[in-house]
Amino acid sequence: MEHPKIIYLDEIDSTNRFLHDYAGVEPVVVATAHHQTAGRGQGGNHWEDRADANLLFSILIRPEMVPVDRQFVVAMADALALREALAAYTDDLLLKWPNDIYWHHHKLSGTLIETALSGGRLRRMIIGTGININQHHFCSDAPNPVSLCQIVGHEVPVSEVLDRVLVAFGRYYDRVVGGDYESISHEYHAALYRRSGLWPYHDSGGCFRAITVGVLPDGHLQLRDTDGRLRQYGFREVSFVLDDNNNNHQINDNDNGKI
C-alpha cells in the first residue's frame, strides 16, 4: 500500500463523514480525530468516546480491482489487521462477525464500512474504526465494552496504536490487491468469535441456538440451528445473544457502555 495521507483533526462529527466529503484524489487517505461528536456504528448506533482517550479514524481506499461480489474481503483484511496490531498488547483477541474485535466476550473495537459503486465497480470504500484505548468508564447501556487500558492495566499511547494499525493494514491491503482472497478468508475464519460450539442468537423470529458454518464471500453469515436448518444472514439481520456466562471475565472497570 502506498504511504497514506494522514489528516489529523481535533474535533469532528464523524471521520467517515469527513472523508465522504473529501475532494482529494490520493489512493489512500486516513482521517483521525481526538473526538467525534456524532460517531456512528453499524445500523446508525451512536459511538461513545471520551475526548483524547480512544483511537478514532477512517481510511479511504479505492479498491477498483476487487469484484463487487467479493468486497467483503476488504472487511476481512481490515479486521485481521486490527487484530494483528492489538495483539502487540494482549492475547485472546477474536473477530466477531462482521468486523468487531473482541477480547474474550467484550467488545474492544468496532468498524463501519461505507462503499461507493460506479459502473458496477467499487469506486471507493471508507473504513471507519473506533478502538477503546484509554477510556476507564462507559456511560451508555451496551453490555460488554472494554478498553485496552482495562485489559493491560495501564494507559497506551493512542498514536502508537494508530501506527501499528496502519502498518498492518498496509500489508493486508497489499494482499487484497494481489488477489490473495482465499488465504485472507482462511485467516479470518480461524480467528472468528464463536467459530465452534453451540451459541444463542436472535433474529426477527426470536431466539435460537446454532453453530457457525462460515461467512460467504459476499459477507453473509451462515449458521446451522439445533433443528439442522441452515440459516443465512446479512448485516444487522441477526444478533449475538450475550448472557452473564459470556461476560464473567474480570476487567479493571466493569461499567456499561458501547462503541
Side-chain angles (χ1 to χ4, degrees):
M1 182 179 79
E2 295 186 28
H3 186 73
K5 177 179 180 178
I6 304 178
I7 301 171
Y8 297 94
L9 304 165
D10 183 24
E11 182 175 292
I12 193 73
D13 53 355
S14 162
T15 53
N16 265 35
R17 199 279 307 157
F18 176 85
L19 288 181
H20 183 272
D21 296 339
Y22 182 74
V25 296
E26 298 89 349
V28 184
V29 184
V30 178
T32 182
H34 292 293
H35 178 54
Q36 289 187 140
T37 60
R40 293 175 295 143
Q42 293 285 356
N45 290 334
H46 173 68
W47 194 293
E48 178 187 350
D49 77 89
R50 180 171 64 80
D52 295 316
N54 302 312
L55 177 54
L56 311 167
F57 69 101
S58 297
I59 304 174
L60 185 155
I61 55 175
R62 308 179 193 278
E64 296 181 357
M65 78 297 295
V66 179
V68 172
D69 62 356
R70 296 300 302 268
Q71 62 183 282
F72 190 70
V73 71
V74 180
M76 290 191 289
D78 175 70
L80 287 164
L82 292 170
R83 180 174 183 258
E84 178 183 299
L86 293 169
Y89 305 96
T90 185
D91 298 324
D92 303 311
L93 297 171
L94 295 172
L95 310 179
K96 175 179 168 288
W97 176 85
N99 45 21
D100 290 343
I101 307 298
Y102 264 41
W103 178 76
H104 295 279
H105 298 285
H106 297 272
K107 184 174 178 178
L108 178 60
S109 171
T111 295
L112 173 67
I113 299 179
E114 298 177 298
T115 302
L117 305 178
S118 178
R121 300 178 64 87
L122 291 175
R123 183 166 62 88
R124 69 178 184 181
M125 298 180 76
I126 299 173
I127 306 168
T129 297
I131 305 175
N132 293 331
I133 304 292
N134 295 321
Q135 186 154 338
H136 294 271
H137 303 281
F138 297 89
C139 300
S140 65
D141 59 357
N144 66 333
V146 69
S147 65
L148 194 57
C149 73
Q150 289 177 319
I151 296 170
V152 303
H154 58 81
E155 295 200 348
V156 176
V158 174
S159 60
E160 177 183 284
V161 180
L162 177 62
D163 290 343
R164 291 185 184 277
V165 168
L166 294 182
V167 169
F169 180 80
R171 287 197 297 267
Y172 274 97
Y173 187 56
D174 284 344
R175 290 174 60 183
V176 171
V177 173
D180 191 17
Y181 299 172
E182 298 310 316
S183 292
I184 290 172
S185 177
H186 178 77
E187 291 178 34
Y188 177 86
H189 279 84
L192 267 181
Y193 175 69
R194 294 186 176 180
R195 64 185 179 274
S196 62
L198 193 66
W199 296 94
Y201 298 87
H202 185 275
D203 64 8
S204 59
C207 291
F208 64 97
R209 298 178 68 83
I211 61 172
T212 299
V213 175
V215 180
L216 296 175
D218 64 1
H220 281 78
L221 175 68
Q222 287 191 322
L223 304 172
R224 190 174 301 279
D225 64 25
T226 51
D227 294 326
R229 173 188 169 194
L230 183 64
R231 299 171 177 242
Q232 183 169 303
Y233 298 97
F235 305 146
R236 306 295 299 176
E237 293 179 352
V238 67
S239 58
F240 290 57
V241 176
L242 300 172
D243 57 30
D244 290 339
N245 291 328
N246 290 164
N247 289 291
N248 61 6
H249 199 99
Q250 292 296 313
I251 57 178
N252 294 335
D253 298 287
N254 194 25
D255 298 277
N256 287 337
K258 75 175 180 181
I259 60 174

